[in-house]
């Protein structure tokens, strides 16, 4: 069982962002809608996006730039990040997951560092407290009222009105990204998170209510 600490909660939110990136470069035709939602989530850097980055303790602009570069490379047929990539350092050659176990730095953090162009040495040896992907505390956007660092991602399946679906399936039905739904679940009961309509943007950027189909 994972111990509930600030580091573990931050790691969970980073995995949410990583999943959104996986959706953005998915080649599964059945996930075309999720792919476009994920790409728009990174491209427009909405309030939800910035809140998730705050919970993940990452600089939103850095995440956005790295994600859009990864999407562009994918679309251009260039090789993107390999989860099984082997990094060589101090005479050892290990995968990302193996280095995570040795270094005590979460694999999601190692992946983000590499996407930002860090060398293998910097990726594996820079302590978390001095990492440049962490914005100074004074510059971090405060979380909205009702949110707190203890909030974490929801379970993989949710039951509402007698129906049990995965988070991805509920997000698809609501027209949200998975990250957007996780963010709702961090501060709302399941019933409210799944029944609250998604607010669309009107022609002048003003929110326009949309009826959720649940």
């Amino acid at each position: 069982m994972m111990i509930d600490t600030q580091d573990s909660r931050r790691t969970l939110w980073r995995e949410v962002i990583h999943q959104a990136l996986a959706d953005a470069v998915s080649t599964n035709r059945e996930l075309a809608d999720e792919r476009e939602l994920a790409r728009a989530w990174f491209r427009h850097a909405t309030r939800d996006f910035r809140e998730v980055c705050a919970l993940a303790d990452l600089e939103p602009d850095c995440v956005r730039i790295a994600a859009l570069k990864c999407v562009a490379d994918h679309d251009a047929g260039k090789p993107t990040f390999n989860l099984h990539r082997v990094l060589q350092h101090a005479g050892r050659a290990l995968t990302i997951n193996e280095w995570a176990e040795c270094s005590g730095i979460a694999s999601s953090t190692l992946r983000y560092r590499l996407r930002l162009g860090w060398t293998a040495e910097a990726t594996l040896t820079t302590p978390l407290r001095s990492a440049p992907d962490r914005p100074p505390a004074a510059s971090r956007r405060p979380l909205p009222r009702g949110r707190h660092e203890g909030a974490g991602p929801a379970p993989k399946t949710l039951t509402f009105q007698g129906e049990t679906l995965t988070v991805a399936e509920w997000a698809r039905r609501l027209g949200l990204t998975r990250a957007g739904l996780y963010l709702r679940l961090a501060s709302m009961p399941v019933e409210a998170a799944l029944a609250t309509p998604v607010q669309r943007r009107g022609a002048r950027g003003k929110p326009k209510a949309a009826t959720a189909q649940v």
Side-chain angles (χ1 to χ4, degrees):
M1 177 182 295
M2 180 181 289
I3 299 175
D4 185 23
T5 65
Q6 181 176 350
D7 284 343
S8 67
R9 293 190 294 269
R10 180 170 55 231
T11 296
L12 287 172
W13 282 106
R14 291 186 178 190
E15 292 295 344
V16 168
I17 298 174
H18 184 258
Q19 180 59 61
L21 182 56
D23 289 345
V25 297
S26 172
T27 56
N28 188 335
R29 293 183 179 180
E30 295 181 359
L31 300 179
D33 290 343
E34 285 87 340
R35 181 170 59 248
E36 293 309 313
L37 280 171
R39 291 184 175 204
W41 192 66
F42 286 115
R43 186 166 56 248
H44 299 306
T46 61
R47 179 178 178 179
D48 280 0
F49 170 80
R50 293 185 176 277
E51 288 177 15
V52 170
C53 288
L55 289 165
D57 206 6
L58 292 170
E59 173 56 48
D61 290 338
C62 290
V63 173
R64 177 177 178 273
I65 291 170
L68 293 180
K69 181 181 184 304
C70 187
V71 169
D73 287 347
H74 173 270
D75 290 349
K78 297 179 181 179
T80 53
F81 187 81
N82 182 356
L83 293 178
H84 303 291
R85 175 179 175 181
V86 173
L87 292 181
Q88 295 187 354
H89 174 64
R92 306 175 70 186
L94 303 174
T95 65
I96 299 300
N97 287 339
E98 290 169 338
W99 277 118
E101 292 180 5
C102 295
S103 66
I105 301 175
S107 60
S108 58
T109 299
L110 297 179
R111 291 196 295 267
Y112 280 115
R113 289 179 173 184
L114 290 168
R115 284 202 186 95
L116 292 173
W118 290 30
T119 64
E121 181 179 2
T123 295
L124 298 170
T125 62
T126 303
L128 284 173
R129 294 297 178 185
S130 60
D133 63 347
R134 294 167 56 84
S139 69
R140 293 176 194 157
R141 180 176 177 274
L143 298 179
R145 183 177 299 176
R147 303 200 191 283
H148 54 87
E149 289 194 349
K156 293 184 178 179
T157 60
L158 301 169
T159 300
F160 177 59
Q161 294 184 344
E163 188 173 12
T164 299
L165 299 173
T166 65
V167 171
E169 289 169 334
W170 281 118
R172 186 182 309 128
R173 182 174 293 190
L174 290 167
L176 289 168
T177 60
R178 268 183 274 193
L181 181 51
Y182 279 134
L183 188 58
R184 282 189 175 194
L185 291 164
S187 63
M188 296 182 181
V190 172
E191 294 78 7
L194 298 179
T196 302
V198 175
Q199 293 226 328
R200 306 295 185 191
R201 294 283 170 180
R204 297 185 178 180
K206 295 181 179 180
K208 182 171 66 174
T211 303
Q213 311 212 343
V214 295

